[in-house]
Amino acid sequence: MQRTIDDCAFKLKARLIRTIGDLRISRSGLRSLVVQMEAVLDPMVSDGVIEDYAITIPILDLLDADPSTLTAAQLQVIQDAQADRIIEVLLAVDYAGAIHRIAITLNFE
């Protein structure tokens, strides 16, 4: 079981390493990141390796929100992520009847 989850994490990181330098921490940039991750995970689902997955990028939720509805703290989180060029991606993988979580910290340098 752990080998499959490790393989999934390795494939994701290998795919993302090629694209990180080109992406921006913006709605469109992070949506592109999601598409890159889906390109790795969708074939694993269709091949029956994993049952399902869910990708969560907390900063993307803030970027999707109406800017006028965000609090000062939320705006600061966005500004910090863009200035530091670091985001967190949370991935839940449904495999062998259990949900496994993979946390990936992306440094856009």
Side-chain angles (χ1 to χ4, degrees):
M1 183 182 314
Q2 190 60 40
R3 286 182 72 196
T4 300
I5 299 304
D6 288 344
D7 182 53
C8 181
F10 174 79
K11 286 178 180 176
L12 283 168
K13 290 175 184 179
R15 177 72 178 244
L16 296 178
I17 237 168
R18 293 182 275 163
T19 61
I20 286 300
D22 298 331
L23 295 178
R24 303 233 184 273
I25 299 177
S26 64
R27 283 193 338 215
S28 61
L30 295 181
R31 290 207 186 285
S32 174
L33 180 71
V34 170
V35 169
Q36 293 291 322
M37 295 176 76
E38 289 172 344
V40 172
L41 297 168
D42 283 343
M44 293 180 86
V45 171
S46 64
D47 291 345
V49 176
I50 61 175
E51 283 122 40
D52 200 9
Y53 65 89
I55 300 168
T56 304
I57 303 176
I59 193 76
L60 183 56
D61 294 336
L62 293 176
L63 291 169
D64 281 342
D66 181 4
S68 64
T69 64
L70 296 176
T71 66
Q74 291 170 322
L75 290 171
Q76 187 62 49
V77 168
I78 293 170
Q79 290 173 353
D80 289 346
Q82 290 172 333
D84 297 340
R85 301 194 42 77
I86 297 174
I87 64 161
E88 182 179 42
V89 176
L90 305 170
L91 176 64
V93 176
D94 187 356
Y95 171 71
I99 295 180
H100 304 271
R101 289 176 175 74
I102 301 171
I104 302 172
T105 301
L106 300 172
N107 190 338
F108 288 74
E109 292 190 47

